[in-house]
Amino acid sequence: MAENKDLVFRKAEKKDLKVVMEMIQELADFENMSDGPELTEQDLARDSGLDGGQECCHIYVLDLKESDKVTTIGYAICFFAYSTWKGRFYFLEDIYVKPAYRGIGAGARIFREVANKAKEFNCKRVDFHVLSWNPASKFYRKLGASDLTEIEQWHLYRLHEEQLDTLSKELENK
């Protein structure tokens, strides 16, 4: 088992995007949504500002240092959002640890580091989604997360691209 000093949390660099894309696909496979990811490495570079453009998300990786070898074993992708009640908050889009490295504290390390980043950015909270069947819900609760659907009766809604198109056309026709 690795000790925390062997785990290094850091902001991703362009060279990390290939392994991040692989882990995004692994997460999609785990969530039974293998066809879900439509992003490319270039999209990630653009959207994270790693190509010099505007940064609209933060990509972090967790490395495991063993002897002379460094292996990227997990990642998190976050972005800023805004609440009219609390102000700026951090949204955790993805958190993932490769299955072979679970049980060594890697997930808890990433989660705590994201919480710490939120505090550094003066955010008032961190929000994230969890599929109802995902056993990670117990993990998040153990670390202090609240299930808003259960406690506050908040439900997540989404407009897909088709609905965006329809609504935009309706506006154009007025």
Side-chain angles (χ1 to χ4, degrees), residues 110-153:
I110 294 173
F111 197 75
R112 286 184 176 103
E113 292 279 6
V114 166
N116 188 58
K117 286 291 181 189
K119 292 294 289 178
E120 285 178 15
F121 292 130
N122 209 18
C123 294
K124 303 301 181 195
R125 69 183 197 219
V126 173
D127 285 0
F128 53 97
H129 309 126
V130 181
L131 290 167
S132 60
W133 56 262
N134 189 333
S137 290
K138 289 172 76 174
F139 166 79
Y140 298 123
R141 288 174 195 237
K142 182 179 173 188
L143 290 170
S146 302
D147 182 339
L148 295 181
T149 303
E150 194 175 280
I151 295 170
E152 297 182 16
Q153 299 298 305

Side-chain angles (χ1 to χ4, degrees), residues 14-140:
K14 208 167 188 175
K15 67 179 177 66
D16 298 311
L17 296 183
K18 182 177 179 3
V19 73
V20 169
M21 285 298 303
E22 291 168 2
M23 289 187 286
I24 287 172
Q25 187 61 57
E26 289 174 21
L27 177 58
D29 294 344
F30 170 76
E31 292 176 338
N32 299 314
M33 297 182 217
S34 296
D35 295 336
E38 297 176 8
L39 290 173
T40 65
E41 284 181 48
Q42 293 75 25
D43 294 330
L44 283 179
R46 178 197 64 222
D47 296 342
S48 63
L50 292 175
D51 69 355
Q54 181 181 5
E55 181 181 65
C56 53
C57 71
H58 302 146
I59 303 173
Y60 303 103
V61 294
L62 187 71
D63 293 334
L64 173 63
K65 291 187 174 188
E66 297 175 295
S67 304
D68 295 337
K69 182 179 169 192
V70 176
T71 306
T72 300
I73 64 168
Y75 79 97
I77 296 179
C78 307
F79 58 89
F80 294 118
Y82 198 79
S83 162
T84 55
W85 290 1
K86 296 284 188 175
R88 179 181 10 199
F89 68 94
Y90 219 24
F91 193 91
L92 174 59
E93 176 65 19
D94 281 357
I95 181 172
Y96 182 75
V97 174
K98 291 181 177 188
Y101 299 98
R102 294 180 186 160
I104 64 169
R109 175 66 180 272
I110 294 173
F111 197 75
R112 286 184 176 103
E113 292 279 6
V114 166
N116 188 58
K117 286 291 181 189
K119 292 294 289 178
E120 285 178 15
F121 292 130
N122 209 18
C123 294
K124 303 301 181 195
R125 69 183 197 219
V126 173
D127 285 0
F128 53 97
H129 309 126
V130 181
L131 290 167
S132 60
W133 56 262
N134 189 333
S137 290
K138 289 172 76 174
F139 166 79
Y140 298 123

